Amino acid sequence: MRTDLLAEPVAGLDEALAAVTAFDGVLTGGLLRPRPEQGAALAEFADSVAGTPLAVRVCEAADKTAAAAGGEDHFAALAAARTALLGSAHDALLARLDEATGRTRSAAEAAVPGPPPAVNLLAAARSWLCDLARAGWQGIDHDLVADAAPVVTAMLPDPELRRLATLLDGFSAELAASCPGAALDRVPARRWADLWARAMILAQPGASAAPPPGTATGRLLPLGIDLHEHATAAQAQVHAVFDPADGSGARLVRASVSAPKPDTVVGAGVWQLLRPHMSLLAAVGEGRAMNIADMTLTAGGDLLWDDAKARTGEPADAFATARVALPTASAAAVHPLDRHPAAIAEPVFVEGYTAEETDRELVFAFAGLRLAVDTDRIPAAGPLGPETVAASRACIGLLRWDAGEFRLQPLAVETAVRNKPVAVHAGAWAGGAADKAAAKAEKAATDAVAVLRERAGKLLRK
Amino acid sequence: MLSDWEGSSTARVVPPARPRKLAKVPFVELADGRLQGVVSSGSDAGRVYVSSVAAGDYAFACSTNNNRPCGGARGSFCNHIGALITEAVLQYGGVRVARYLRVETAAVEPAAHDIATAMRATGPAKGDSKAAAQVFSRFLRHLAYLELAATTAPLPEMQWFPPTRAVA
């Protein structure tokens, strides 16, 4: 990998982000009664999309909003402009990444409409998001944030709305923990504006449009597991190289499983919730490939996992996959709505580095170049920790970009124990307890879920 | 210019809850301006107490899920409220609980008894138990998360919610 390219400036990126920052500052103060400096920031923001098809609508939205006369359509136009700006930043960053990894990427295909939307629930979500934007982060209070709860509760059971529901649930929990906004000494301005704008876009009828999916038959060689979690949801994403049976070249794919959860189910308990729904997690834990037949594969490179279409294959070492199959695997086009720098998670393999610890972070140093390592993203419910990463000599990870720099999130590392390579995987506990520490965490999690299920059995069905 | 944290899409805002045993206190939360939750009855497996302490004035309430007042919570905090504070500190850490309730203690990392003692020392009044129904319905909503189906359709927004090794 050409790590040197990751450190070089990306043309236009700073300008795009400056416009986004201007808008994010406006949301912090709220849109109810914008002050003159907020109006100026909105005008600066609208200028940044002046040369695009959004220009007229965004200019009008900025004017009306600055005059305290903004409505839902105006806020949606502003969210769209912010999404477009970050989409272009994403494209430039991903192009740089593909250049650094030498990866080829398929061209985007035309989208077709998704299933008919649940218009009433989407309207309720947009209405809450508009109230939120009017109040601003400094104006949030318990009553306003609590208004999200009925919308989330109504949406969660519907699989078509799970994506928006999970986003709103995580977002509103964070806001609730930060109330009242007037007492906040700092505001995560980029993050909350990201979550707000994404929710606003996902709540538009038509947001579910996507290119028609295909099917996949062949061998799946796992690279590692990436875990995501907020208080009431968890998702595990397996990154893998798919080797199609028809001999058309190897491709990078993901397989995901997610579940809503009570916020007291944490750590190893998260794996327990996810494990029964995707046999792939156990296969990764055992270091095995899987054979899949006619499994749905989206244009964005996501397998829609179905245990009935998969069976466990022969042992497959993730590091062998990373060394041999990953360099030639091609990547899928990113779905238009998923174009955002924070959604970049590209599997890479690096070796020949020296791990250097500073007081703030760990970096991998390559002949004069440095790559920051994001050890905080490694789940605590697993055997991989920052010390193991610091002692490693090869690493499979996800390259991400946030807050101005590329960082490597380790999924697995190779260390030397008595001169023999030993692999340690962040997701090693996904399939079940592998050692004493894992067994203890599993037991505690099983007990916690058992207590809740027992209580639910007594109280929920009365 | 934004700081790294303000300019980060994945800035960590809320530390994750810490694992704890749930048998005695199946539900605890810092919400609606209160420390509130549900405490199992020591004697009757089918009964739970809904307990709460308000931030600021520490007004307390404790009653069963059938709205019978708790006998122990007349003059001051009952054992249920004591258990609630203990488990809240386990789940969220003493600093966060003390900050939310606006309790000043001398301790850098206040323990549950530091927080409870500081609140008792102000002679808090008994609050109304009107919130009990709301707290109980939040507990039921919390339990209902276990009933929702898992999905294998990707949730791209979860990229914004990475785990963190930092503890509460």
Side-chain angles (χ1 to χ4, degrees):
Chain A
M1 188 174 66
R2 296 256 329 257
T3 32
D4 56 317
L5 291 173
L6 300 181
E8 280 178 26
V10 172
L13 181 65
D14 288 349
E15 291 82 351
L17 292 177
V20 171
T21 301
F23 177 75
D24 295 352
V26 175
L27 270 193
T28 299
L31 305 177
L32 188 62
R33 279 183 289 275
R35 297 184 307 275
E37 62 270 26
Q38 285 176 293
L42 282 167
E44 179 195 337
F45 173 69
D47 273 351
S48 68
V49 293
T52 76
L54 287 168
V56 175
R57 287 189 64 179
V58 174
C59 193
E60 187 203 335
D63 284 349
K64 291 274 191 209
T65 304
E72 184 189 303
D73 288 350
H74 300 122
F75 296 171
L78 296 174
R82 189 184 183 281
T83 305
L85 278 168
L86 285 160
S88 70
H90 163 275
D91 294 354
L93 289 164
L94 193 63
R96 173 60 58 83
L97 236 167
D98 284 346
E99 194 185 346
T101 54
R103 194 161 285 164
T104 55
R105 192 169 292 277
S106 48
E109 295 168 47
V112 296
V119 285
N120 292 341
L121 281 173
L122 293 185
R126 291 196 303 273
S127 163
W128 179 71
L129 291 163
C130 288
D131 290 346
L132 205 54
R134 289 194 181 94
W137 311 132
Q138 289 168 335
I140 54 170
D141 61 31
H142 288 295
D143 288 343
L144 170 59
V145 174
D147 287 343
V151 184
V152 170
T153 304
M155 282 185 172
L156 272 173
D158 182 347
E160 297 296 334
L161 293 168
R162 185 61 70 79
R163 198 176 152 183
L164 178 57
T166 307
L167 167 61
L168 291 175
D169 210 10
F171 183 25
S172 58
E174 225 169 272
L175 294 174
S178 308
C179 280
L184 288 174
D185 47 15
R186 58 176 189 168
V187 169
R190 174 82 82 236
R191 173 177 178 76
W192 284 355
D194 270 1
L195 300 179
W196 177 83
R198 288 197 74 74
M200 199 65 177
I201 297 299
L202 287 181
Q204 305 294 322
S208 61
T215 58
T217 300
R219 204 160 54 120
L220 198 62
L221 303 162
L223 289 164
I225 305 178
D226 179 26
L227 182 73
H228 315 133
E229 59 181 315
H230 64 52
T232 52
Q235 170 170 262
Q237 241 171 17
V238 177
H239 289 262
V241 175
F242 168 56
D243 185 15
D246 64 8
S248 60
R251 289 147 78 178
L252 273 171
V253 296
R254 287 175 301 259
S256 311
V257 59
S258 63
K261 68 175 189 71
D263 69 350
T264 39
V265 174
V266 290
V270 166
W271 296 126
Q272 289 184 6
L273 285 185
L274 302 175
R275 196 178 293 151
H277 307 285
M278 190 159 79
S279 53
L280 181 59
L281 293 180
V284 178
E286 291 166 17
R288 287 179 177 275
M290 286 201 90
N291 298 303
I292 55 174
D294 296 324
M295 198 176 287
T296 306
L297 178 61
T298 71
D302 285 296
L303 283 169
L304 301 186
W305 193 264
D306 179 351
D307 276 350
K309 293 174 177 169
R311 56 190 174 80
T312 307
E314 67 259 42
D317 172 32
F319 281 88
T321 300
R323 288 187 168 98
V324 180
L326 179 60
T328 57
S330 67
V334 178
H335 185 269
L337 284 190
D338 299 342
R339 292 166 49 249
H340 188 293
I344 294 175
E346 284 294 303
V348 294
F349 173 69
V350 290
E351 60 183 338
Y353 52 78
T354 316
E356 291 175 6
E357 281 176 277
T358 69
D359 50 342
R360 266 186 74 231
E361 62 180 4
L362 183 70
V363 295
F364 286 166
F366 303 83
L369 298 158
R370 302 160 82 79
L371 181 59
V373 183
D374 190 352
T375 49
D376 194 38
R377 273 190 99 120
I378 304 171
L384 184 61
E387 319 73 38
T388 316
V389 177
S392 68
R393 55 185 195 182
C395 177
I396 299 170
L398 295 176
L399 260 183
R400 295 181 176 274
W401 190 93
D402 190 29
E405 65 170 350
F406 282 106
R407 287 156 79 89
L408 181 68
Q409 172 196 347
L411 294 181
V413 300
E414 217 170 54
T415 59
V417 175
R418 285 187 283 276
N419 280 327
K420 289 216 175 81
V422 172
V424 183
H425 291 261
W429 295 1
D435 56 36
K436 217 170 138 187
K440 201 176 153 215
E442 285 277 334
K443 169 78 170 59
T446 309
D447 291 349
V449 172
V451 167
L452 290 179
R453 286 207 194 282
E454 185 264 340
R455 283 288 147 190
K458 282 210 168 72
L459 298 168
L460 273 185
R461 288 173 198 86
K462 273 189 181 170
Chain B
M1 264 307 280
L2 299 176
S3 72
D4 278 359
W5 187 80
E6 290 165 314
S8 166
S9 290
T10 55
R12 309 304 203 277
V13 178
V14 185
R18 296 189 286 196
R20 61 180 184 87
K21 293 198 166 83
L22 302 176
K24 220 166 136 189
V25 182
F27 180 59
V28 163
E29 63 172 1
L30 299 168
D32 306 325
R34 288 185 295 265
L35 163 63
Q36 55 193 25
V38 169
V39 183
S40 303
S41 160
S43 52
D44 179 353
R47 184 169 16 153
V48 291
Y49 288 86
V50 181
S51 315
S52 65
V53 181
D57 65 1
Y58 319 136
F60 61 93
C62 187
S63 59
T64 70
N65 49 323
N66 297 325
N67 224 12
R68 286 168 192 273
C70 165
R74 292 207 179 94
S76 185
F77 296 174
C78 58
N79 291 338
H80 304 120
I81 291 174
L84 189 69
I85 297 167
T86 301
E87 296 298 310
V89 169
L90 282 177
Q91 182 162 326
Y92 296 114
V95 174
R96 197 166 147 203
V97 175
R99 192 180 344 123
Y100 193 88
L101 289 172
R102 282 175 262 149
V103 173
E104 304 268 347
T105 67
V108 182
E109 177 72 44
H113 70 85
D114 296 328
I115 295 170
T117 306
M119 290 196 290
R120 277 198 186 98
T122 66
K126 199 172 158 180
D128 63 53
S129 56
K130 269 188 294 193
Q134 198 192 339
V135 176
F136 194 68
S137 80
R138 289 183 62 98
F139 174 51
L140 295 183
R141 182 173 186 266
H142 175 87
L143 289 179
Y145 275 90
L146 280 174
E147 314 285 311
L148 293 161
T151 168
T152 58
L155 302 177
E157 285 64 40
M158 289 302 285
Q159 301 292 340
W160 271 261
F161 296 96
T164 174
R165 302 181 74 84
V167 289

